[in-house]
Amino acid sequence: MARYTPAVAKRRRPNPGERRRDLCDAAIQLLADDGAKGLSHLKVDRKAGVPDGTTSFYFRTRSALLRAVAERLAELDLAELQSVADSSDGRGEDPSPSRLSQVVIQAGREPQFSRTRARYELTMQAARDPALAAILQQATDEFTKLHREILVQLMPHGAELESAVVEDLSNVTLTFINGLMLRLAHGDRIVDSPERLDGILSAIAAGILKSPDKGRLTDSADRRASGRRPPAASG
């Protein structure tokens, strides 16, 4: 009679994709806490709670690690903004703050605050790393496109606005939001609620729409000279 042998639980091997994400998330926290100078493969290992050498196995160089972190940040940020686009179907007279303003204000609070600080650390590093700069630029382009779509959805009759006017609205409001997020990264919460941010963005939009130069406020001289127009508004 065969001897009974109890089943031995198989040790689950970490999924490579999950392991890479875990390492990148640990690196994001290190960038936020210690800056780029405090980032190393060994520190990521310790932060992620994995054996020494794990990060070096997945990311052979420091540049490779930074680029992977940039891609992970873009993945998280764009997923969050896409959720805003998916839920923004026109607010009408709805007095509640927009999801866009909620997401921006949350960037100054954990866990998003660490991502905000890490993002600016990467931006500084990108000045000396063209490949890293290209990743950040691609994310910025996608972010800007989504931002334009959200503006069209949030504004009354947004779909009826000329594409050049939407371009002005997008460029100016996004420039303001970028400046606000930089201040948030430094702990300066000059705007501390989604309601206040909504009011500011509405005032900016109202000023642009009343301007006799709307549609030309952020149009570059080169584009005007060539006769090129901004792309048509989405939505």
Side-chain angles (χ1 to χ4, degrees):
M1 184 175 180
R3 179 185 299 178
Y4 169 73
T5 304
V8 177
K10 293 184 178 180
R11 187 175 182 180
R12 180 179 178 273
R13 292 185 178 181
N15 178 286
E18 292 178 358
R19 177 54 57 84
R20 288 174 64 91
R21 286 192 294 271
D22 290 344
L23 294 173
C24 287
D25 289 345
I28 288 171
Q29 193 61 56
L30 282 170
L31 281 172
D33 293 342
D34 303 329
K37 291 184 178 180
L39 183 69
S40 70
H41 287 77
L42 183 58
K43 286 184 177 180
V44 174
D45 289 338
R46 303 288 170 80
K47 189 73 173 178
V50 297
D52 292 358
T54 301
T55 303
S56 294
F57 174 79
Y58 283 92
F59 311 106
R60 295 296 184 184
T61 65
R62 191 170 187 275
S63 292
L65 175 59
L66 288 172
R67 293 165 195 169
V69 171
E71 291 172 346
R72 175 61 173 159
L73 274 173
E75 175 189 359
L76 293 169
D77 291 343
L78 290 171
E80 195 166 51
L81 193 62
Q82 184 63 60
S83 72
V84 176
D86 293 342
S87 64
S88 300
D89 55 358
R91 296 171 61 214
E93 300 301 322
D94 184 1
S96 62
S98 68
R99 278 279 296 136
L100 176 62
S101 290
Q102 291 176 25
V103 167
V104 173
I105 295 302
Q106 286 169 0
R109 302 167 183 163
E110 292 295 357
Q112 289 89 340
F113 186 43
S114 291
R115 281 164 38 195
T116 300
R117 290 186 293 172
R119 191 181 306 110
Y120 284 109
E121 288 289 339
L122 286 176
T123 299
M124 297 300 294
Q125 294 296 305
R128 296 177 291 277
D129 187 335
L132 177 59
I135 293 171
L136 294 178
Q137 184 59 56
Q138 181 180 359
T140 297
D141 291 344
E142 294 178 14
F143 191 97
T144 301
K145 179 182 177 182
L146 273 175
H147 180 71
R148 293 179 76 253
E149 293 176 1
I150 291 168
L151 283 181
V152 170
Q153 293 168 359
L154 288 178
M155 294 191 63
H157 311 294
E160 300 173 10
L161 293 173
E162 294 181 4
S163 61
V165 176
V166 174
E167 190 78 0
D168 277 349
L169 289 166
S170 176
N171 289 338
V172 175
T173 55
L174 194 53
T175 298
F176 176 82
I177 288 172
N178 283 336
L180 175 60
M181 293 183 72
L182 180 58
R183 296 187 72 160
L184 291 175
H186 287 282
D188 183 359
R189 289 165 176 75
I190 187 172
V191 180
D192 58 1
S193 73
E195 291 83 1
R196 289 190 65 190
L197 180 55
D198 265 349
I200 293 170
L201 294 178
S202 294
I204 292 173
I208 291 173
L209 293 175
K210 291 178 181 177
S211 171
D213 294 322
K214 64 178 181 290
R216 300 188 301 273
L217 294 171
T218 60
D219 199 8
S220 70
D222 289 343
R223 187 160 55 194
R224 288 196 300 271
S226 66
R228 286 180 293 156
R229 303 301 300 165
S234 300

